[in-house]
């Protein structure tokens, strides 16, 4: 198995990370769920593990929590090896998607439960539970039952219960997945603000790209049990290191080796985000913006233009997706907020040119390796 070497904007510091994974591997029979992951998560950061179903992100979270033991490799919590430790021996806590609140208990008793298990006296644990609920803006509902709360409020109770025991690391397994869109967006902001105020390390598992981009200090993108890339939201979105990340995080137009050779005359593959492209509606005359013309224009003005045919239009509210089948390249999507120069019937099948600034073309040195995995 091949270990994943993680690169990114690492701080030049000797500080011991909150979590350190080295050569972490987990197999279930013949299935490799986690394949040699190396990762440092800093103290006090909001780190998201992002990936599709089956990518290994949730298994890594369960390994950190102690619900699974690694097949090989090590897990360190603030410098202490906890690879073989039981969950209760690790100073971490987990918030699950279903919240797992006790329906017969009041909110204060739900939150105080972990302290009760630890043997804390009744008065002290209720005081700390009440303070934890106050911290998540539910201090006025101490006596209510979970059934009397909204989904967002129950989510905050689960957070309070996890935080009241003061863990060094809080693990969150897609805790917003059951909420509706508006509530989920509001909770994303509240959760990030809570993390900043507490200064606790949050490790957040999600398959929602927008959620990860919105909330995270850094993101690790998982695929087939490996970490494909790690970096800030800006780094992951603007400079993906492979075609998987380019396609999975947001929408991207990926140009393969043949298209790269035809357009730029060089080997490799590159990607461009739809909002970085523009359509030249009146440029669809023979000979405009072909491979040779595009190369010449790129040399003089730093832009490239390729002819194509409009294949479809999709209105998405704030903008329109213009789908264009390029003559020298793949079908691409251009996101434009401009007024279209005609009706859909008039524009379908129209010859146009698609242009972009060369600086917005992100070359994918590992694209061939990524797609062959």
């Amino acid at each position: 198995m091949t270990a994943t070497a993680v690169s990114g904007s690492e701080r030049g510091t000797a500080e011991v990370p909150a979590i350190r994974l080295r050569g972490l591997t987990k197999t279930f029979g013949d299935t490799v769920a986690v394949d040699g992951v190396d990762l440092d998560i800093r103290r006090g950061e909001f780190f998201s593990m992002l990936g599709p179903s089956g990518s290994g992100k949730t298994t890594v979270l369960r390994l950190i929590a102690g619900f699974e033991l690694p097949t090989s490799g090590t897990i360190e919590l603030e410098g202490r090896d906890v690879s073989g430790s039981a969950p209760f021996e690790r100073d971490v806590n987990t918030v699950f998607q279903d919240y797992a609140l006790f329906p017969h208990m009041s909110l204060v008793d739900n939150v105080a439960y972990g302290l009760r298990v630890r043997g804390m006296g009744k008065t002290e644990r209720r005081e700390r539970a009440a303070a934890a609920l106050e911290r998540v803006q539910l201090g006025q509902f101490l006596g209510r039952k979970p059934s009397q709360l909204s989904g967002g409020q129950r989510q905050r109770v689960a957070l309070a219960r996890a935080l009241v025991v003061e863990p060094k690391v809080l693990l969150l397994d897609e805790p917003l997945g059951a909420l509706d869109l508006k509530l989920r967006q509001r909770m994303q902001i509240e959760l990030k603000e809570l993390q900043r105020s507490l200064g606790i390390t949050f490790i957040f598992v999600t398959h929602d790209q927008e959620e990860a981009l919105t909330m995270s200090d850094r993101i690790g993108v998982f695929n087939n049990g490996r970490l494909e890339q790690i970096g800030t939201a800006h780094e992951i979105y603007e400079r993906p290191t492979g075609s998987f990340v380019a396609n999975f995080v947001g929408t991207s137009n990926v140009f393969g080796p043949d298209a790269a050779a035809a357009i730029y005359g060089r080997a490799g593959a590159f990607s461009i985000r739809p909002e970085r492209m523009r359509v030249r509606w009146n440029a669809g005359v023979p000979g405009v913006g072909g491979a040779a013309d595009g190369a010449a224009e790129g040399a003089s003005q730093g832009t490239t233009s390729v002819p194509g045919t409009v294949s479809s239009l999709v209105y998405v509210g704030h903008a329109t997706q213009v789908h264009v089948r390029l003559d020298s390249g793949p079908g691409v999507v251009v996101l434009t907020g401009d007024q279209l120069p005609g009706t859909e019937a008039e524009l379908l099948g129209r010859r146009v040119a698609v242009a972009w600034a060369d600086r917005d073309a992100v070359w994918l040195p590992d694209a061939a390796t990524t797609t062959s995995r």
Side-chain angles (χ1 to χ4, degrees):
M1 297 175 186
T2 304
T4 303
V6 176
S7 61
S9 54
E10 299 289 343
R11 294 174 184 166
T13 175
E15 179 181 305
V16 176
I19 295 290
R20 170 167 285 164
L21 311 179
R22 287 294 179 266
L24 190 65
T25 300
K26 180 63 178 180
T27 61
F28 297 97
D30 295 331
T31 301
V32 181
V34 180
D35 192 0
V37 168
D38 292 343
L39 173 63
D40 285 355
I41 299 175
R42 302 166 186 150
R43 295 186 187 187
E45 84 170 324
F46 196 121
F47 187 91
S48 288
M49 296 194 289
L50 173 67
S53 297
S55 62
K57 61 188 186 301
T58 298
T59 303
V60 171
L61 191 82
R62 290 178 61 82
L63 288 165
I64 294 172
F67 301 139
E68 303 283 353
L69 295 179
T71 303
S72 62
T74 59
I75 303 166
E76 293 183 10
L77 174 62
E78 294 194 347
R80 182 173 68 92
D81 191 336
V82 295
S83 307
S85 301
F88 62 85
E89 296 175 317
R90 308 183 187 202
D91 200 357
V92 304
N93 217 334
T94 307
V95 177
F96 299 99
Q97 183 174 338
D98 62 4
Y99 311 146
L101 301 177
F102 296 112
H104 62 288
M105 290 186 180
S106 66
L107 301 194
V108 70
D109 288 336
N110 261 285
V111 174
Y113 183 77
L115 301 175
R116 175 183 171 187
V117 171
R118 286 165 172 77
M120 183 177 290
K122 181 176 181 179
T123 300
E124 184 180 359
R125 69 175 182 254
R126 286 183 66 86
E127 288 176 353
R128 285 182 54 175
L133 285 166
E134 188 68 40
R135 194 160 48 185
V136 296
Q137 301 174 14
L138 291 174
Q140 70 273 37
F141 300 141
L142 300 185
R144 287 195 181 182
K145 301 290 178 61
S147 61
Q148 297 174 292
L149 304 179
S150 68
Q153 289 171 327
R154 287 196 295 271
Q155 196 258 8
R156 280 184 274 168
V157 175
L159 277 172
R161 186 178 60 182
L163 292 169
V164 74
V165 297
E166 300 179 350
K168 293 178 180 176
V169 177
L170 185 64
L171 309 175
L172 301 106
D173 187 9
E174 304 205 44
L176 309 183
L179 306 181
D180 62 65
L181 177 61
K182 291 292 185 182
L183 180 56
R184 188 165 69 246
Q185 291 173 336
R186 188 166 76 245
M187 288 306 303
Q188 289 170 7
I189 297 171
E190 290 185 11
L191 192 59
K192 180 58 182 174
E193 290 177 348
L194 179 62
Q195 187 268 336
R196 283 176 175 163
S197 67
L198 295 173
I200 293 175
T201 305
F202 276 28
I203 303 177
F204 189 90
V205 165
T206 182
H207 63 272
D208 187 313
Q209 307 137 37
E210 181 181 343
E211 201 164 78
L213 293 171
T214 300
M215 302 171 68
S216 312
D217 295 320
R218 289 189 305 154
I219 302 167
V221 183
F222 281 78
N223 181 36
N224 292 332
R226 303 182 182 94
L227 265 173
E228 295 284 347
Q229 185 175 352
I230 183 171
T232 64
H234 185 271
E235 290 168 343
I236 294 289
Y237 187 83
E238 297 291 346
R239 294 291 159 185
T241 57
S243 59
F244 174 81
V245 177
N247 279 311
F248 185 74
V249 182
T251 302
S252 197
N253 298 300
V254 177
F255 293 73
D258 292 342
I263 295 170
Y264 281 111
R266 60 174 281 187
F270 66 94
S271 70
I272 307 174
R273 296 293 183 183
E275 66 271 20
R276 303 294 188 184
M277 292 177 148
R278 61 191 181 278
V279 179
R280 292 177 173 171
W281 295 100
N282 298 317
V285 297
V288 173
D293 291 339
E297 183 181 354
S300 60
Q301 301 178 17
T303 61
T304 294
S305 178
V306 180
T309 303
V310 177
S311 58
S312 66
L313 301 168
V314 180
Y315 179 66
V316 293
H318 67 287
T320 299
Q321 295 177 349
V322 183
H323 295 250
V324 180
R325 170 58 62 182
L326 300 180
D327 294 353
S328 299
V332 298
V333 179
V334 182
L335 193 66
T336 177
D338 298 335
Q339 182 71 33
L340 299 181
T343 65
E344 182 174 1
E346 292 170 338
L347 297 178
L348 288 178
R350 182 165 176 167
R351 294 288 294 168
V352 297
V354 175
W356 61 83
D358 292 328
R359 66 176 178 273
D360 292 328
V362 179
W363 289 87
L364 307 173
D366 66 339
T369 301
T370 302
T371 55
S372 66
R373 285 179 181 169

